[in-house]
């Protein structure tokens, strides 16, 4: 590792900020030694703030029906081989019940952009969940909606919203999405969610088609400036029935490297070791935690629908019961000296 690299890592650890050119250098000239130093610093920072606790979120995939046609996504509307489903309110509530008993204190309701889940339906559902489990956080991940819709769901009790920005480079965004989708609208949503008062999560895929080091540097600068409460990054993985079927997947190495960098940019950020990371490497989630992540998001969806929420090929955990997923992850975390906790897992204000 050269002196410039060492100096940049020291600067990042102290100041939590680099210029876009410096971020690009950090990515372009990375080496195993740089990755090791970044991970060491990232783990130190994360342990100072969160100790060895790993927060969990119970992910409930409420519908795979989507009006959008994102080129990378297995549940895009043009994928006619995808078997569509939508959970009923009672099914969602029974996932929460099971999750609560297993120790989850955050429920993430995720779906394609499905108009069936109108504001009225969502507000009723959020109200029911918060009424039954007042000690739990409700996180929504329903895509792009109007400010009014975000406000109504917030007023109904939703605490957090996950909306990956996907890429902070507008030209790159346009290569990943059809013309009717807009980068500006995605960014508008993120700003409004924050203004309304949600704890907001952004994020991006690592190794998505057409991604350059410069685009990744823009992602890092965006995270530094936007200061999300959560940041979801995971490797892009091709899905056989999408236009990107033949593209290469993102790597474990670069994803872990970026997890460490993001931890140093924003020390308290909630950073999941994603299912996609666990899909490209059988110990991917453990490696993500060892790079500085502090959250895991096991699946709480009914087993009967799991395979249908197939964003990418070979997604893991689609055949396991929720209890199995949780105990499997608890064991994995224990094997690396961390422990899953029963906690809402809010961001620590430092
Ligand atoms: N519809 C909501 C939205 O757009 O935010 C939530 C669901 S969407 C499927 C959740 C995330 O899955 C996306 O933000 C995207 O980053 C990720 N994703 C989609 N296809 C993927 C793929 N092929 N590989 C890895 N991640 C993917
Ligand atoms: Fe809508 Fe992926 S295209 S969730």
């Amino acid at each position: 590792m050269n002196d410039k690299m060492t100096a940049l890592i020291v600067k990042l650890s102290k100041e939590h900020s680099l210029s876009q050119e410096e971020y690009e250098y950090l990515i372009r000239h990375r080496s195993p030694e740089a990755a090791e130093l970044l991970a060491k610093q990232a783990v130190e920072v994360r342990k100072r703030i969160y100790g060895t606790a790993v927060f969990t979120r119970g992910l409930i995939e409420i519908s795979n029906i989507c009006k959008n046609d994102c080129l990378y996504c297995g549940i895009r509307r043009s994928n006619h081989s995808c078997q569509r489903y939508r959970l009923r309110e009672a099914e969602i509530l029974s996932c929460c019940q099971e999750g609560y008993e297993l120790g989850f204190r955050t429920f993430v309701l995720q779906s394609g952009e499905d108009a069936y889940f109108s504001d009225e339906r969502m507000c009723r559902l959020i109200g029911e969940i918060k009424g039954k489990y007042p000690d739990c956080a409700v996180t929504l991940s329903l895509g792009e909606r109007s400010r009014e819709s975000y406000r109504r769901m917030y007023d109904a009790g939703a605490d957090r919203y996950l909306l990956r920005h996907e890429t902070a480079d507008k030209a790159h965004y346009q290569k990943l999405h059809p013309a009717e989708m807009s980068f500006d609208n995605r960014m508008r949503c993120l700003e409004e969610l924050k203004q309304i008062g949600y704890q907001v999560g952004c994020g991006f895929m690592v190794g998505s088609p057409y991604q350059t080091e410069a685009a990744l540097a823009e992602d890092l600068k965006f995270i530094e400036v936007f200061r999300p409460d959560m940041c979801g990054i995971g490797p892009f993985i091709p899905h056989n029935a999408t236009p990107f079927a033949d593209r290469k997947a993102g790597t474990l190495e670069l994803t872990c490297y970026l997890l460490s960098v993001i931890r140093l940019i924003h020390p308290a950020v909630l950073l999941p070791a994603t299912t996609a990371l666990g899909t490209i490497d059988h110990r991917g989630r453990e490696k993500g935690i060892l790079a500085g992540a502090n959250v895991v998001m096991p699946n709480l969806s009914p087993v009967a629908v799991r395979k249908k929420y197939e964003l990418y090929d070979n997604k893991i955990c689609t055949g396991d019961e929720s209890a199995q997923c949780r105990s499997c992850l608890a064991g994995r975390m224990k094997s690396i000296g961390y422990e899953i906790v029963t906690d809402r897992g809010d961001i620590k204000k430092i």
Side-chain angles (χ1 to χ4, degrees):
M1 188 169 41
N2 65 29
D3 290 350
K4 179 168 177 185
M5 193 60 142
T6 313
L8 282 181
I9 296 175
V10 170
K11 182 176 173 194
L12 179 63
S13 302
K14 280 200 183 129
E15 299 175 15
H16 314 299
S17 167
L18 294 178
S19 71
Q20 206 161 299
E21 292 68 36
E22 290 171 327
Y23 283 130
E24 192 174 333
Y25 186 95
L26 210 61
I27 298 164
R28 201 180 282 284
H29 300 282
R30 67 187 189 278
S31 61
E33 296 72 39
E36 201 179 312
L37 179 58
L38 280 165
K40 185 169 167 281
Q41 308 265 26
V43 164
E44 227 173 82
V45 163
R46 166 261 130 93
K47 284 199 172 162
R48 201 161 61 230
I49 303 172
Y50 294 105
T52 52
V54 176
F55 296 139
T56 58
R57 280 77 170 90
L59 179 64
I60 309 173
E61 296 152 333
I62 64 175
S63 163
N64 71 352
I65 297 171
C66 190
K67 73 172 170 54
N68 289 336
D69 219 13
C70 305
L71 275 72
Y72 45 83
C73 184
I75 62 170
R76 66 200 297 265
R77 69 159 188 263
S78 298
N79 179 6
H80 301 295
S81 59
C82 172
Q83 267 187 50
R84 304 289 167 172
Y85 75 89
R86 175 186 283 149
L87 296 184
R88 287 189 307 269
E89 194 174 306
E91 290 176 296
I92 300 170
L93 291 171
S94 94
C95 294
C96 294
Q97 171 78 36
E98 186 181 3
Y100 191 85
E101 284 161 12
L102 288 171
F104 290 98
R105 295 296 176 267
T106 291
F107 303 118
V108 181
L109 308 182
Q110 191 180 83
S111 74
E113 292 197 16
D114 179 358
Y116 173 85
F117 285 104
S118 61
D119 296 347
E120 292 69 29
R121 285 206 170 92
M122 282 313 304
C123 288
R124 197 176 59 226
L125 181 60
I126 294 162
E128 291 247 15
I129 298 175
K130 293 294 285 192
K132 279 200 170 127
Y133 311 105
D135 52 337
C136 291
V138 170
T139 304
L140 304 176
S141 178
L142 310 171
E144 298 173 24
R145 299 170 78 111
S146 68
R147 176 194 278 267
E148 174 61 18
S149 167
Y150 289 147
R151 161 148 303 284
R152 287 178 68 181
M153 295 191 293
Y154 183 76
D155 290 342
D159 303 275
R160 310 184 185 134
Y161 205 102
L162 299 178
L163 185 76
R164 289 184 173 185
H165 62 286
E166 310 298 0
T167 168
D169 176 315
K170 190 169 179 168
H172 183 213
Y173 185 92
Q174 287 165 344
K175 291 185 182 158
L176 298 177
H177 299 94
E180 78 251 14
M181 289 182 73
S182 117
F183 174 80
D184 294 340
N185 194 50
R186 196 99 183 153
M187 290 296 175
R188 189 263 312 154
C189 290
L190 282 167
E191 286 300 337
E192 289 182 354
L193 287 163
K194 201 176 198 185
Q195 287 163 9
I196 290 168
Y198 283 95
Q199 296 173 38
V200 180
C202 66
F204 59 91
M205 290 176 289
V206 177
S208 61
Y210 310 108
Q211 186 175 62
T212 58
E213 279 98 351
L216 281 172
E218 272 190 74
D219 287 319
L220 296 178
K221 198 67 192 172
F222 173 71
I223 289 162
E224 183 194 309
V225 174
F226 184 68
R227 294 194 70 72
D229 300 286
M230 306 160 281
C231 184
I233 73 161
F236 158 75
I237 305 175
H239 184 285
N240 63 82
T242 64
F244 292 154
D246 297 326
R247 300 296 183 132
K248 280 212 298 276
T251 64
L252 173 83
E253 173 270 318
L254 182 53
T255 307
C256 288
Y257 192 82
L258 292 169
L259 284 170
S260 301
V261 173
I262 293 169
R263 171 66 61 208
L264 294 176
I265 293 175
H266 188 0
V269 74
L270 296 162
L271 205 51
T274 58
T275 305
L277 196 55
T279 298
I280 57 165
D281 184 292
H282 78 289
R283 288 186 61 86
R285 286 167 298 178
E286 292 89 315
K287 291 173 186 169
I289 298 290
L290 292 172
N294 67 329
V295 175
V296 288
M297 296 175 68
N299 205 318
L300 268 187
S301 307
V303 176
V305 303
R306 283 200 196 175
K307 188 88 192 101
K308 299 179 186 160
Y309 199 86
E310 196 188 44
L311 308 180
Y312 45 80
D313 291 339
N314 306 316
K315 189 173 160 211
I316 53 167
C317 306
T318 54
D320 302 323
E321 293 294 341
S322 303
Q324 289 172 316
C325 272
R326 186 163 173 107
S327 65
C328 159
L329 268 173
R332 285 170 181 269
M333 294 303 117
K334 201 165 166 219
S335 77
I336 53 167
Y338 288 77
E339 70 280 337
I340 275 182
V341 291
T342 296
D343 191 300
R344 269 174 57 117
D346 287 302
I347 190 168
K348 286 252 163 55
K349 297 289 174 204
I350 51 169

